[in-house]
Amino acid sequence: MQYRRAFSPGGSFFFTVVTDKRRAIFTTAEAVETLREAFRNVRRSRPFEIDAMVVMPDHLHCIWTLPPGDADFATRWRLIKTWFTKHYVPILRPKHEQALWQHRYWEHLLRDEDDFARHVDYIHYNPVKHGLAKSPIDWPYSSFRRHVEAGTYPADWGRGPMNFENTGHE
């Protein structure tokens, strides 16, 4: 089967990126900071906006908006994964374990404002969905607080059950 990716210059995309064998490698502030540095490093040479993001122990979800005329998210992901793998503290990675990432990732071209908003909600609710937090505000590795400060959400948003049928991908 030939896999086809959606390329849309200047588009906004939802991504799910999973660790190899679903290993929980993002369980420390140090590991998450290394991932943040990978993003900062790549964004210096290949800019893009991170509209929303959550880092879970074994996967991450994010929404990027690419610059006008640019549809190359694939190179950015390759560079982020490579940078993180090279800089990830070796003691945290067993010597016999080479791969840190699944080879592929899930991407979805966001079609309109409603699709965008549903995926932002999905991202921020993910720690609650997985039982890691009682509320999105309680999860430290998320853009949720930034969105609260911007007035997008009230601080107590997401405390109850929510329906995300046909949104996101694990």
Side-chain angles (χ1 to χ4, degrees):
M1 180 173 142
Q2 188 172 6
Y3 185 76
R4 295 190 183 123
R5 294 215 178 270
F7 294 100
S8 179
S12 294
F13 299 86
F14 168 83
F15 298 99
T16 298
V17 180
V18 181
T19 62
D20 186 56
K21 300 175 187 160
R22 284 266 185 188
R23 284 195 328 252
I25 63 174
F26 300 115
T27 57
T28 66
E30 183 180 25
V32 174
E33 182 54 36
T34 302
L35 180 65
R36 286 180 176 145
E37 186 57 34
F39 272 84
R40 285 190 290 266
N41 183 291
V42 171
R43 289 176 70 199
R44 281 192 282 274
S45 61
R46 294 181 178 268
F48 61 95
E49 293 299 319
I50 300 173
D51 300 298
M53 185 165 177
V54 65
V55 179
M56 306 294 286
D58 63 354
H59 69 282
L60 61 96
H61 299 291
C62 54
I63 294 174
W64 296 358
T65 298
L66 297 178
D70 188 343
D72 189 10
F73 56 79
T75 298
R76 287 171 172 88
W77 274 121
R78 180 180 52 79
L79 294 170
I80 289 167
K81 288 176 167 185
T82 299
W83 197 99
F84 179 83
T85 300
K86 287 181 178 178
H87 294 87
Y88 186 56
V89 178
I91 197 165
L92 299 176
R93 181 172 57 192
K95 291 181 183 183
H96 64 281
E97 299 284 350
Q98 293 300 317
L100 292 179
W101 304 99
Q102 284 186 2
H103 291 290
R104 293 200 168 170
Y105 51 87
W106 170 264
E107 117 275 331
H108 167 71
L109 174 62
L110 299 170
R111 296 177 301 274
D112 54 33
E113 288 181 29
D114 186 53
D115 194 24
F116 186 97
R118 278 194 328 275
H119 281 83
V120 171
D121 289 350
Y122 178 85
I123 285 170
H124 291 139
Y125 191 74
N126 214 246
V128 178
K129 172 187 168 189
H130 286 281
L132 298 171
K134 291 184 179 183
S135 171
I137 198 80
D138 299 330
W139 189 248
Y141 309 123
S142 166
S143 59
F144 183 73
R145 286 186 181 94
R146 181 181 62 162
H147 282 257
V148 169
E149 290 171 9
T152 308
Y153 295 104
D156 64 350
W157 179 88
R159 290 193 181 269
M162 302 188 78
N163 181 5
F164 291 105
E165 188 175 334
N166 299 319
T167 303
H169 181 78
E170 292 291 327

Short mmCIF file of all heavy atoms in Angstrom, two decimals, residues 98-126:
data_model
loop_
_atom_site.label_atom_id
_atom_site.label_comp_id
_atom_site.label_asym_id
_atom_site.label_seq_id
_atom_site.Cartn_x
_atom_site.Cartn_y
_atom_site.Cartn_z
N GLN A 98 17.85 1.02 20.10
CA GLN A 98 18.33 2.06 19.19
C GLN A 98 17.23 3.05 18.84
O GLN A 98 17.42 4.25 18.93
CB GLN A 98 18.89 1.43 17.92
CG GLN A 98 20.16 0.63 18.17
CD GLN A 98 21.28 1.48 18.75
OE1 GLN A 98 21.50 2.60 18.31
NE2 GLN A 98 21.96 0.97 19.75
N ALA A 99 16.10 2.56 18.41
CA ALA A 99 15.03 3.44 17.95
C ALA A 99 14.29 4.06 19.13
O ALA A 99 14.01 3.39 20.12
CB ALA A 99 14.05 2.67 17.08
N LEU A 100 13.98 5.33 19.01
CA LEU A 100 13.16 6.00 20.01
C LEU A 100 11.77 6.31 19.47
O LEU A 100 10.85 6.54 20.24
CB LEU A 100 13.82 7.31 20.46
CG LEU A 100 15.11 7.19 21.25
CD1 LEU A 100 15.64 8.57 21.60
CD2 LEU A 100 14.90 6.37 22.51
N TRP A 101 11.61 6.33 18.15
CA TRP A 101 10.36 6.76 17.52
C TRP A 101 9.81 5.68 16.60
O TRP A 101 10.57 4.98 15.95
CB TRP A 101 10.62 8.00 16.66
CG TRP A 101 11.22 9.14 17.38
CD1 TRP A 101 12.54 9.49 17.41
CD2 TRP A 101 10.54 10.09 18.20
NE1 TRP A 101 12.71 10.61 18.17
CE2 TRP A 101 11.51 10.99 18.68
CE3 TRP A 101 9.21 10.26 18.56
CZ2 TRP A 101 11.17 12.06 19.50
CZ3 TRP A 101 8.88 11.32 19.39
CH2 TRP A 101 9.86 12.21 19.85
N GLN A 102 8.49 5.63 16.51
CA GLN A 102 7.90 4.84 15.43
C GLN A 102 8.27 5.53 14.12
O GLN A 102 8.43 6.75 14.07
CB GLN A 102 6.37 4.79 15.56
CG GLN A 102 5.90 3.85 16.62
CD GLN A 102 4.37 3.70 16.62
OE1 GLN A 102 3.67 4.28 15.81
NE2 GLN A 102 3.89 2.92 17.56
N HIS A 103 8.42 4.76 13.07
CA HIS A 103 8.87 5.33 11.80
C HIS A 103 7.86 6.31 11.22
O HIS A 103 8.24 7.32 10.64
CB HIS A 103 9.14 4.22 10.78
CG HIS A 103 10.33 3.41 11.13
ND1 HIS A 103 11.61 3.91 11.06
CD2 HIS A 103 10.45 2.15 11.59
CE1 HIS A 103 12.46 2.99 11.45
NE2 HIS A 103 11.79 1.92 11.78
N ARG A 104 6.62 6.03 11.35
CA ARG A 104 5.60 6.90 10.78
C ARG A 104 4.95 7.75 11.85
O ARG A 104 5.16 7.57 13.03
CB ARG A 104 4.55 6.06 10.06
CG ARG A 104 5.13 5.39 8.85
CD ARG A 104 4.04 4.99 7.93
NE ARG A 104 4.63 4.61 6.66
CZ ARG A 104 3.97 4.03 5.70
NH1 ARG A 104 2.70 3.76 5.86
NH2 ARG A 104 4.55 3.74 4.58
N TYR A 105 4.12 8.64 11.40
CA TYR A 105 3.31 9.47 12.30
C TYR A 105 1.99 9.72 11.60
O TYR A 105 1.85 9.54 10.39
CB TYR A 105 4.02 10.79 12.64
CG TYR A 105 4.51 11.54 11.43
CD1 TYR A 105 3.69 12.43 10.75
CD2 TYR A 105 5.81 11.36 10.96
CE1 TYR A 105 4.13 13.10 9.63
CE2 TYR A 105 6.27 12.04 9.84
CZ TYR A 105 5.43 12.90 9.19
OH TYR A 105 5.87 13.57 8.07
N TRP A 106 1.02 10.14 12.38
CA TRP A 106 -0.30 10.44 11.84
C TRP A 106 -0.38 11.93 11.62
O TRP A 106 -0.02 12.73 12.49
CB TRP A 106 -1.36 10.00 12.85
CG TRP A 106 -2.72 10.46 12.54
CD1 TRP A 106 -3.35 11.57 13.04
CD2 TRP A 106 -3.66 9.85 11.64
NE1 TRP A 106 -4.61 11.68 12.52
CE2 TRP A 106 -4.83 10.63 11.66
CE3 TRP A 106 -3.63 8.72 10.84
CZ2 TRP A 106 -5.94 10.32 10.91
CZ3 TRP A 106 -4.75 8.42 10.09
CH2 TRP A 106 -5.88 9.21 10.13
N GLU A 107 -0.86 12.33 10.44
CA GLU A 107 -1.09 13.75 10.20
C GLU A 107 -2.48 13.92 9.60
O GLU A 107 -2.99 13.03 8.93
CB GLU A 107 0.01 14.32 9.30
CG GLU A 107 -0.42 14.86 7.97
CD GLU A 107 -0.49 13.74 6.92
OE1 GLU A 107 0.26 12.77 7.02
OE2 GLU A 107 -1.31 13.87 6.01
N HIS A 108 -3.06 15.06 9.91
CA HIS A 108 -4.39 15.39 9.42
C HIS A 108 -4.40 16.87 9.06
O HIS A 108 -4.09 17.72 9.90
CB HIS A 108 -5.43 15.10 10.51
CG HIS A 108 -6.79 15.67 10.24
ND1 HIS A 108 -7.63 15.19 9.26
CD2 HIS A 108 -7.45 16.70 10.82
CE1 HIS A 108 -8.75 15.89 9.26
NE2 HIS A 108 -8.66 16.82 10.19
N LEU A 109 -4.72 17.18 7.82
CA LEU A 109 -4.86 18.57 7.39
C LEU A 109 -6.16 19.12 7.96
O LEU A 109 -7.24 18.56 7.72
CB LEU A 109 -4.88 18.64 5.86
CG LEU A 109 -5.17 20.02 5.24
CD1 LEU A 109 -4.10 21.03 5.62
CD2 LEU A 109 -5.29 19.89 3.72
N LEU A 110 -6.06 20.16 8.75
CA LEU A 110 -7.24 20.76 9.37
C LEU A 110 -8.01 21.55 8.32
O LEU A 110 -7.44 22.41 7.63
CB LEU A 110 -6.83 21.61 10.56
CG LEU A 110 -6.13 20.78 11.65
CD1 LEU A 110 -5.52 21.68 12.72
CD2 LEU A 110 -7.08 19.78 12.27
N ARG A 111 -9.28 21.25 8.19
CA ARG A 111 -10.09 21.75 7.08
C ARG A 111 -10.69 23.14 7.31
O ARG A 111 -10.88 23.90 6.37
CB ARG A 111 -11.22 20.76 6.78
CG ARG A 111 -10.71 19.41 6.31
CD ARG A 111 -11.84 18.42 6.09
NE ARG A 111 -12.63 18.16 7.26
CZ ARG A 111 -12.34 17.26 8.19
NH1 ARG A 111 -11.26 16.52 8.08
NH2 ARG A 111 -13.11 17.07 9.22
N ASP A 112 -11.05 23.43 8.55
CA ASP A 112 -11.71 24.70 8.82
C ASP A 112 -11.55 25.03 10.30
O ASP A 112 -10.91 24.29 11.05
CB ASP A 112 -13.20 24.64 8.42
CG ASP A 112 -13.96 23.48 9.06
OD1 ASP A 112 -13.64 23.10 10.21
OD2 ASP A 112 -14.88 22.95 8.42
N GLU A 113 -12.14 26.16 10.72
CA GLU A 113 -11.99 26.60 12.11
C GLU A 113 -12.57 25.60 13.10
O GLU A 113 -12.01 25.39 14.18
CB GLU A 113 -12.64 27.97 12.30
CG GLU A 113 -11.85 29.09 11.65
CD GLU A 113 -12.50 30.45 11.87
OE1 GLU A 113 -13.17 30.64 12.91
OE2 GLU A 113 -12.31 31.32 11.00
N ASP A 114 -13.68 24.97 12.75
CA ASP A 114 -14.30 23.99 13.65
C ASP A 114 -13.41 22.75 13.81
O ASP A 114 -13.22 22.26 14.92
CB ASP A 114 -15.68 23.59 13.12
CG ASP A 114 -16.42 22.69 14.09
OD1 ASP A 114 -16.55 23.06 15.27
OD2 ASP A 114 -16.85 21.60 13.65
N ASP A 115 -12.86 22.26 12.72
CA ASP A 115 -11.95 21.13 12.76
C ASP A 115 -10.71 21.48 13.60
O ASP A 115 -10.26 20.69 14.43
CB ASP A 115 -11.54 20.76 11.32
CG ASP A 115 -10.87 19.41 11.20
OD1 ASP A 115 -11.10 18.53 12.06
OD2 ASP A 115 -10.14 19.21 10.21
N PHE A 116 -10.19 22.68 13.41
CA PHE A 116 -9.05 23.17 14.18
C PHE A 116 -9.38 23.18 15.67
O PHE A 116 -8.64 22.63 16.49
CB PHE A 116 -8.68 24.58 13.70
CG PHE A 116 -7.43 25.15 14.30
CD1 PHE A 116 -6.23 25.08 13.61
CD2 PHE A 116 -7.45 25.79 15.52
CE1 PHE A 116 -5.07 25.62 14.15
CE2 PHE A 116 -6.31 26.33 16.08
CZ PHE A 116 -5.11 26.25 15.39
N ALA A 117 -10.52 23.77 16.04
CA ALA A 117 -10.91 23.89 17.45
C ALA A 117 -11.13 22.52 18.09
O ALA A 117 -10.73 22.30 19.24
CB ALA A 117 -12.18 24.74 17.57
N ARG A 118 -11.76 21.58 17.37
CA ARG A 118 -11.97 20.22 17.91
C ARG A 118 -10.64 19.53 18.21
O ARG A 118 -10.49 18.84 19.21
CB ARG A 118 -12.80 19.37 16.94
CG ARG A 118 -14.28 19.59 17.03
CD ARG A 118 -15.10 18.50 16.31
NE ARG A 118 -14.50 17.92 15.13
CZ ARG A 118 -14.56 18.43 13.90
NH1 ARG A 118 -15.23 19.55 13.70
NH2 ARG A 118 -14.00 17.81 12.87
N HIS A 119 -9.66 19.72 17.33
CA HIS A 119 -8.36 19.09 17.54
C HIS A 119 -7.56 19.76 18.66
O HIS A 119 -6.84 19.09 19.39
CB HIS A 119 -7.57 19.02 16.23
CG HIS A 119 -8.02 17.90 15.35
ND1 HIS A 119 -9.12 18.02 14.52
CD2 HIS A 119 -7.56 16.64 15.21
CE1 HIS A 119 -9.30 16.87 13.89
NE2 HIS A 119 -8.37 16.02 14.30
N VAL A 120 -7.71 21.07 18.82
CA VAL A 120 -7.08 21.75 19.96
C VAL A 120 -7.67 21.20 21.26
O VAL A 120 -6.94 20.88 22.20
CB VAL A 120 -7.24 23.28 19.87
CG1 VAL A 120 -6.78 23.95 21.16
CG2 VAL A 120 -6.46 23.84 18.68
N ASP A 121 -9.00 21.05 21.30
CA ASP A 121 -9.64 20.47 22.48
C ASP A 121 -9.13 19.05 22.73
O ASP A 121 -8.83 18.68 23.88
CB ASP A 121 -11.17 20.43 22.31
CG ASP A 121 -11.83 21.79 22.37
OD1 ASP A 121 -11.17 22.79 22.74
OD2 ASP A 121 -13.04 21.85 22.04
N TYR A 122 -9.06 18.25 21.69
CA TYR A 122 -8.59 16.86 21.81
C TYR A 122 -7.18 16.83 22.41
O TYR A 122 -6.90 16.03 23.31
CB TYR A 122 -8.60 16.19 20.43
CG TYR A 122 -8.09 14.78 20.45
CD1 TYR A 122 -8.95 13.73 20.76
CD2 TYR A 122 -6.76 14.48 20.16
CE1 TYR A 122 -8.49 12.41 20.78
CE2 TYR A 122 -6.30 13.18 20.19
CZ TYR A 122 -7.16 12.15 20.49
OH TYR A 122 -6.70 10.86 20.52
N ILE A 123 -6.31 17.69 21.92
CA ILE A 123 -4.94 17.76 22.43
C ILE A 123 -4.94 18.07 23.92
O ILE A 123 -4.29 17.39 24.72
CB ILE A 123 -4.12 18.81 21.65
CG1 ILE A 123 -3.78 18.27 20.26
CG2 ILE A 123 -2.87 19.23 22.41
CD1 ILE A 123 -3.20 19.31 19.31
N HIS A 124 -5.68 19.08 24.31
CA HIS A 124 -5.63 19.52 25.71
C HIS A 124 -6.34 18.55 26.66
O HIS A 124 -6.00 18.49 27.84
CB HIS A 124 -6.19 20.94 25.82
CG HIS A 124 -5.28 21.92 25.18
ND1 HIS A 124 -5.75 22.98 24.42
CD2 HIS A 124 -3.92 22.02 25.15
CE1 HIS A 124 -4.71 23.67 23.97
NE2 HIS A 124 -3.60 23.11 24.40
N TYR A 125 -7.29 17.80 26.16
CA TYR A 125 -8.00 16.84 27.00
C TYR A 125 -7.26 15.50 27.12
O TYR A 125 -7.57 14.68 27.98
CB TYR A 125 -9.41 16.61 26.44
CG TYR A 125 -10.32 15.85 27.38
CD1 TYR A 125 -10.83 16.48 28.51
CD2 TYR A 125 -10.64 14.53 27.15
CE1 TYR A 125 -11.66 15.79 29.39
CE2 TYR A 125 -11.47 13.83 28.01
CZ TYR A 125 -11.97 14.47 29.14
OH TYR A 125 -12.79 13.79 30.01
N ASN A 126 -6.25 15.27 26.30
CA ASN A 126 -5.58 13.98 26.23
C ASN A 126 -5.05 13.46 27.57
O ASN A 126 -5.23 12.27 27.86
CB ASN A 126 -4.46 14.04 25.18
CG ASN A 126 -4.29 12.74 24.46
OD1 ASN A 126 -3.26 12.10 24.60
ND2 ASN A 126 -5.29 12.34 23.69
#
